[in-house]
Each structure stands twice: as C-alpha cells, then as structure tokens.
Amino acid sequence: MELLVTEGLTKRFGGLVAVNEVNLRIKENEALGIIGPNGSGKTTLFNLLSGFFAPTKGRVVFRGKDVTRLSPEERVKMGMVRTFQLVSVFNSLKVWESLVPCIVWNSDIYHSLWKFMTTAVEEVRDNSIEALKLVGLKDYADSMTAELSYGDKRLLEIAFALAFQPKLLLLDEPFSGLSDVEIGKVLALLRSLKGKTTIGIIEHKISMIVDFVDRLCVMNEGRIICEGKPQEVLADPLVNECYWGKEEVVEEAPSSSAL
Amino acid sequence: MRKESRYMRDVLKKQETMLGVSVTARKSFVEAMGGQRVLELVLIAVVFLVLVPFLGAHRVTDFAIFCIFALSFDLLYGYMGRLSFGHLLYLGVGAYTVGLSLRYVTTNPLLAIVLGVVAASLAGMAVGAVTVRVSGAAFALSNLAFNRVGWFLVMSPLKEITGGENGLSIRNLSFWLVNFRNPNFRFWFVLVALLGVFLFLRVLTASPYGVLLRSIKEDERRVRFLGYNTYFYKWITFVVAASIAGFAGALTALNYGYVNPNTLDVHANAGVVFACLIGGSGRLYGALLGGILYMLITNLLPIYFQRWEFVLGVALLLIVFRFRGGIWGGLEALRKSIVLRYNASSSKKGVSQ
Ligand SMILES: Nc1ncnc2c1ncn2[C@@H]1O[C@H](COP(=O)(O)OP(=O)(O)O)[C@@H](O)[C@H]1O
Ligand SMILES: [Mg+2]
C-alpha cells in the first residue's frame, strides 16, 4: 500500500525549477533512497513533503489524505517526521531536556498543554533517558547539547524523530559530516528500524545506502530520472552519465555544509 | 523506646552519608527540592525586609511591585525569547481596572485586584492573538503600537472616566481587615504577592512547559517540525505574562491610592528591559535582582548624581558587550568556574596521594 504519493509536484524559485513534476511513491514499511548530485532538488523535495514550503504546483497525498496545504505540525500529527540536512537540535538545552517536546507531545493541543502542566519533570526525564538509550546517548543525558559531537547531535536528532514513533521518517543526508565510526552508529540504528517503519533517506553518495534501501530514486535537475531496485538503478546508463563521474567527488567538510 | 529508635535511625543515616550512599536518594532529593523552595522564598523575603529600614516600607513595596512586573516580563523575554516594547499596557490595564472598579463596581479591593488581573489577561488575549504571529522587531513594535493605542484611549476618548493626564484617585482603599491605607499592610500584602508570583513562575519554568518555552526561544521553526502549533503556546505564555503584569498594575494602584497615567507610558518599557538585562534574563533571580537594582538606581542615584542616566547607559553597555547573562549570569559562571577549579585541584590531590 502507498503511504505517500505526490502528483506533479513542482517548486520554482524565480526562474529556477528546483523540483519539477515529481511523481513520487513511497510504500508502507519500505526504505526508499533518494540520491542525486548537489543541487538536484532532493532537500527541496523533502521541504515540500514536510510542509516547509508550499509547492508551486502539484499535490502531496499522505495516508490517503491531501496534505498539500497542511502546516508542518499537522503533518507531524499524521505521522510524518523529518530531520534536517544541517543538524537542527537545541544547543541551549541539556541533552535530556531537548527531548522533552517530543516526549510530552500529544496530537491534541489541549491535552498536550495539560500534559505540560501536570507531568512531573522526573518522569519526563526517565522517559527521555530511555529514548536516549535507543541511540546510545544515555551517558550524555546531563551534558549540554552544544557540547555533543556533530555525529552525536545527528543521533539526537534522529532520537527526536523516533520518539514520535513515526509512520514515515524522512532523513535528509543523515551521514553528511560524520566520521566513519559515527556513520556506522547511525547506519546500525537505521537497520534496526528497517521494516518497522517507512523510511525516506536522502544521500549524496550512492555507496553509503545501496545496501540499506529497498528502492532508489535518482534525481537530477529537479526530476526523478530513474527509479527501481538499487542494483538496477546503478546499472542504468542514464544514471551513470549524469552521476557516476561525480559520485566520489571530494566530500564536503562538515563545517562548510553546516553553513 | 521511641527516642532510641530515632537515635538508631540517625546513626544509620550518618553511616549512610559517611559511606556516600543514600538509600532513599530519589525521595530525599525531591524533599530537598521542596525544602529548597521554602528557603528561597525566605531569603527573598529577608532581602526585602532588610531594605525597609533604609528606604521605608512604601518605597520597598514599590520595588517589590516592580519586581513582579519584571518577573512577568522575563517569562516573555528571558524564557520565550520574545522582546516586547509594549508590556506596560497590561500594567496600565490592571491599574485602571482597579481604580475604576473601586469607583463604580465594588468596595472590596481584593475583588478589584481580581478584576484587574482578568482585564489584563483579556487584553493580553486580544493583543497576543495578533502579535505572537510575528517575532523579532515586528513583535516588539506591534506590541509598542498596542501600548500606544492604550495610552491614547486613556488620554483622549476615555478621558471623562480615566481622568486623562490627571489620573484617577482611588476610593475605598479599606474593606474589613483589608486596609490599603496602612503602609505596613501594603508592604506585607505585596511581599506575599511577590513570593506567590515567584513560586508560580519557578514551578512553571522548571516544568516541562519551561523546557518547551526555551526550545521555542532557541528555534521556533524546529519546534513546529516537532508537531507543535507554536502560536498557541506563545499565546498562552503571552497571556500569563500579561495577567501577572496586570496584577502588578493592580498593586501599583493600591500602593499609591492613585492611578498615574505613567503606568501606561510606552517609554517606561525600556526600564523593564533594562532591569531584566542587568539582572540576567531567563533567570528568575536575575529579574528580581535587576528589578531591585533598577529601582535603586532610578530612585537613589538622582539624589547624588545629576547625570544619573549616564550610569544606566554604561551599565547597559557593559552587559551587552561583556556580561550577556547579566549580574546573576555572571555569578553563576563564577560559581561554576570555582567548582571546576575545586574539583580539578581535589582530583589532583587524589592522584598525588
Ligand atoms: N529557499 C530557497 N530559495 C531559493 N532557492 C533555493 C532554496 N532552496 C533551494 N534552492 C535551490 O534549489 C536547488 C535545489 O536545492 P536543494 O534541494 O537544496 O538540492 P539538494 O538537496 O539536492 O542538494 C538549488 O539550486 C538551490 O539553490
Ligand atoms: Mg540537500
């Protein structure tokens, strides 16, 4: 069954068509990889799916409902949770505190407010530490988030998303800027989720996710130029033409990608 | 028998602490927190009591009221990160509502206070519904605009009932045992009010709600992507801050027995911003300390210095460029560094032994 479908999704920035007539399908409980060179519109596509931007044209249908005009928070309520290409966590909070909004959350706004007013801090903290165990950050619970390494911040951001038990988890370049050890940690975590939830994952380097995903979409200049099983996609001459040469180009340093 | 068993318990407890273990660690921590809260309140009360012989009860009452107002502002600015230049509107609404209701509605000052708080929260609901949609300069200035509207209403169309520039003197300051004509009564009443507001905000900001506010302060957009309609929470917080400000306004009116149109003066907004910055924003103690210091500076310095505003300016520059956490933040940092140094030196000793 299709969890998410887009129809003719298009986003223009002035003269630039960042996402062009994209018809994407994500099936329930599959892991879908989206690859493509820098600037091919991958992040913009996620921004359209998650409600960061309204599309210029086209529709987003999630769990059978047209969500094109819904706000980001409405989409989270329906079970679509994303992470950001540039890690986005709360640096001014302690690590356990930064999970508080994810843990106390309730889809009903008044119930949510009630929980905020009545739940004991100690209880939230316990739950938060449970969630941190899942991503291996338990020992840092009382550190400031600002002091975490980039890789650990990324794990923390994924912990944010997992706390919602999302139907659809959208990860934008979860490996960028990480060391090999850190990549291993994130990948192990994602493998443990595979088959249990639907994952959409953007990656810039094909080799990183080719073993992990069930299906690959290749984007170039705002369009999906090819999709299918990972091995089939890699064998496609079109993909090779636009992509292969660029694949192992110098990786961006984390500092430059953070800007 | 009983004495003995208690003695035994004490011995056991001592052994526990000597061994560095505490069997009921969690419970005793919670208890300690409760005890700590009481201690905090007592200390705050002592600070204000100590000031009375030097400044007189009336003036210290004024300080305490300003501290209540500064606390409400800090909830908005320090915790939620929304700087408003129109917070005085709610102080004014509280004050005028008390003045008018003691004229036309009731003879009970306590009821008038309640009405003042309700009126300020209603005003906060209406204004907040518009202003929390924006942030940054737009938020600060749109609130300023509403503050100006309030000033205009009091000065011009409602002049007949508000007294315009002349203000409004209050009748019915006493009712049964409640006697706002007595400066000592006013002092104790306001002191208890301040402690109540402080306790309320202490609990609120330490709760998960406080954490949510701080996350909105850092990155509101990110919080929206965690499924929050942040407008709703910002609005609630705005209304709470407005209500407390209205409470401070109600007390101001009763403390003076007179409603001064200056309670609504937009220019006075700078004062509360300054108080929060100097004390340290985002820290309730910072707001208290800043409130007291600001009142001391503005009340006492003019007696000794002609150019007393110069001191304010220099202090503000120092804070902006050197002590971002204000005085309280500076003290916290100092304590942290001392603890760190102490730990480092004691662990060194451990190694050499
Ligand atoms: N907010 C924006 N405003 C204007 N142009 C944008 C914006 N976001 C992305 N773009 C442009 O859209 C194109 C696609 O960008 P992006 O989706 O970030 O690519 P990718 O994630 O595949 O590297 C780029 O040319 C980029 O400059
Ligand atoms: Mg991108």
Side-chain angles (χ1 to χ4, degrees):
Chain A
M1 209 203 105
E2 251 97 35
L3 188 70
L4 182 125
V5 179
T6 73
E7 293 164 9
L9 206 58
T10 302
K11 180 72 187 176
R12 271 174 211 281
F13 294 114
L16 177 87
V17 190
V19 170
N20 197 351
E21 295 287 340
V22 165
N23 298 312
L24 184 75
R25 275 154 209 285
I26 307 183
K27 293 194 204 72
E28 207 153 347
N29 289 338
E30 78 169 341
L32 172 76
I34 298 173
I35 57 171
N38 267 331
S40 56
K42 306 180 296 294
T43 297
T44 306
L45 177 61
F46 267 25
N47 283 341
L48 294 175
L49 299 184
S50 63
F52 196 97
F53 300 132
T56 313
K57 206 162 73 73
R59 297 202 314 150
V60 180
V61 179
F62 181 54
R63 298 174 76 188
K65 192 179 164 202
D66 187 334
V67 298
T68 318
R69 299 285 148 200
L70 290 190
S71 63
E73 58 265 27
E74 302 281 349
R75 300 185 205 211
V76 174
K77 273 181 208 164
M78 293 179 64
M80 186 199 299
V81 183
R82 72 171 290 185
T83 66
F84 291 84
Q85 182 171 351
L86 313 172
V87 169
S88 183
V89 290
F90 302 106
N91 283 313
S92 62
L93 302 183
K94 286 184 180 158
V95 172
W96 78 266
E97 284 179 330
S98 63
L99 271 157
V100 167
C102 313
I103 285 168
V104 185
W105 185 81
N106 188 285
S107 60
D108 178 67
I109 198 163
Y110 300 107
H111 189 200
S112 207
L113 182 66
W114 178 248
K115 278 177 79 181
F116 269 108
M117 296 296 182
T118 55
T119 317
V121 172
E122 290 81 9
E123 187 189 329
V124 181
R125 188 169 185 277
D126 289 347
N127 289 333
S128 175
I129 288 175
E130 283 305 310
L132 288 172
K133 264 187 204 161
L134 214 64
V135 295
L137 289 177
K138 189 184 139 251
D139 294 342
Y140 299 110
D142 287 311
S143 318
M144 291 304 291
T145 305
E147 291 161 7
L148 291 184
S149 74
Y150 200 68
D152 286 343
K153 283 186 188 176
R154 189 141 252 154
L155 284 166
L156 180 61
E157 198 185 7
I158 296 175
F160 286 5
L162 294 184
F164 289 92
Q165 302 184 309
K167 286 263 179 296
L168 173 62
L169 178 60
L170 297 172
L171 303 165
D172 193 348
E173 301 205 21
F175 308 115
S176 76
L178 303 200
S179 72
D180 288 346
V181 177
E182 290 169 333
I183 288 175
K185 278 197 214 167
V186 175
L187 206 53
L189 177 64
L190 294 185
R191 279 193 204 287
S192 72
L193 297 172
K194 202 176 160 186
K196 292 183 196 139
T197 183
T198 317
I199 302 176
I201 181 168
I202 290 180
E203 187 43 60
H204 165 67
K205 272 171 82 178
I206 299 177
S207 55
M208 213 58 107
I209 54 166
V210 71
D211 297 330
F212 173 69
V213 297
D214 303 313
R215 215 152 53 86
L216 262 183
C217 284
V218 183
M219 283 190 78
N220 193 33
E221 294 176 356
R223 289 177 187 277
I224 294 183
I225 55 167
C226 177
E227 64 176 295
K229 291 248 176 306
Q231 297 310 327
E232 294 166 15
V233 168
L234 291 189
D236 192 294
L238 194 59
V239 174
N240 284 320
E241 186 191 320
C242 84
Y243 202 88
W244 205 231
K246 298 175 192 170
E247 208 266 12
E248 300 298 335
V249 286
V250 192
E251 269 289 275
E252 299 157 89
S255 56
S256 70
S257 71
L259 285 173
Chain B
M1 258 298 276
R2 259 181 104 197
K3 241 185 189 168
E4 251 178 44
S5 68
R6 184 177 287 168
Y7 172 72
M8 277 311 289
R9 218 170 54 199
D10 285 349
V11 169
L12 281 176
K13 230 185 211 159
K14 245 181 216 154
Q15 280 178 348
E16 259 173 37
T17 44
M18 269 155 61
L19 291 171
V21 290
S22 162
V23 180
T24 54
R26 190 188 183 90
K27 203 172 171 200
S28 61
F29 173 72
V30 173
E31 281 166 6
M33 279 303 286
Q36 193 193 328
R37 292 248 159 88
V38 174
L39 190 68
E40 285 176 56
L41 296 184
V42 170
L43 281 178
I44 294 169
V46 166
V47 168
F48 281 92
L49 280 169
V50 165
L51 288 174
V52 172
F54 299 100
L55 300 164
H58 175 76
R59 201 167 244 175
V60 178
T61 309
D62 215 23
F63 283 28
I65 295 173
F66 185 71
C67 284
I68 295 178
F69 184 59
L71 284 170
S72 79
F73 182 80
D74 198 37
L75 179 68
L76 204 58
Y77 173 59
Y79 285 89
M80 203 169 70
R82 294 297 181 273
L83 175 63
S84 162
F85 285 143
H87 204 52
L88 240 71
L89 176 62
Y90 311 102
L91 191 83
V93 168
Y96 275 99
T97 307
V98 163
L100 292 173
S101 52
L102 284 178
R103 253 169 201 244
Y104 303 112
V105 184
T106 173
T107 53
N108 182 348
L110 297 183
L111 181 61
I113 293 177
V114 172
L115 292 176
V117 172
V118 169
S121 75
L122 289 175
M125 285 177 194
V127 173
V130 180
T131 58
V132 300
R133 307 217 149 255
V134 290
S135 29
F139 178 78
L141 296 178
S142 58
N143 280 300
L144 180 84
F146 280 106
N147 198 158
R148 270 208 183 284
V149 170
W151 171 262
F152 168 75
L153 289 178
V154 164
M155 285 306 178
S156 197
L158 301 177
K159 202 166 145 193
E160 294 303 315
I161 56 165
T162 61
E165 274 174 32
N166 299 324
L168 189 70
S169 65
I170 296 181
R171 300 171 185 164
N172 303 318
L173 277 167
S174 60
F175 184 85
W176 282 71
L177 296 174
V178 180
N179 182 6
F180 280 96
R181 281 185 220 291
N182 177 344
N184 290 326
F185 176 84
R186 294 200 300 261
F187 172 75
W188 287 104
F189 189 88
V190 168
L191 186 60
V192 170
L194 171 67
L195 297 181
V197 167
F198 181 84
L199 187 64
F200 170 73
L201 288 177
R202 189 104 172 96
V203 172
L204 184 73
T205 54
S207 75
Y209 191 80
V211 179
L212 182 69
L213 290 187
R214 284 187 284 142
S215 59
I216 290 177
K217 176 183 182 177
E218 180 173 338
D219 190 347
E220 183 184 345
R221 194 206 63 193
R222 189 67 183 92
V223 179
R224 293 192 71 195
F225 279 90
L226 295 177
Y228 284 91
N229 180 350
T230 48
Y231 298 125
F232 176 69
Y233 293 90
K234 287 193 294 178
W235 182 74
I236 295 278
T237 312
F238 190 90
V239 173
V240 172
S243 311
I244 297 174
F247 185 41
L251 295 174
T252 309
L254 292 171
N255 190 35
Y256 283 91
Y258 164 73
V259 185
N260 189 328
N262 287 339
T263 52
L264 263 175
D265 184 4
V266 284
H267 303 293
N269 279 299
V272 72
V273 180
F274 181 85
C276 280
L277 282 176
I278 192 175
S281 63
R283 301 161 174 82
L284 295 178
Y285 280 111
L288 284 181
L289 187 63
I292 294 173
L293 279 176
Y294 179 78
M295 290 304 261
L296 281 174
I297 293 174
T298 52
N299 276 280
L300 298 187
L301 269 191
I303 302 172
Y304 305 106
F305 273 112
Q306 228 169 28
R307 293 260 154 260
W308 60 277
E309 277 134 329
F310 177 75
V311 178
L312 274 186
V314 170
L316 197 56
L317 284 175
L318 264 176
I319 289 159
V320 169
F321 287 105
R322 195 71 192 81
F323 302 101
R324 293 309 291 267
I327 293 175
W328 196 264
L331 291 176
E332 276 173 354
L334 191 70
R335 202 194 73 180
K336 223 181 200 172
S337 74
I338 288 173
V339 168
L340 273 181
R341 214 168 281 170
Y342 176 79
N343 283 349
S345 70
S346 63
S347 70
K348 241 187 221 159
K349 260 185 215 156
V351 169
S352 65
Q353 276 165 7

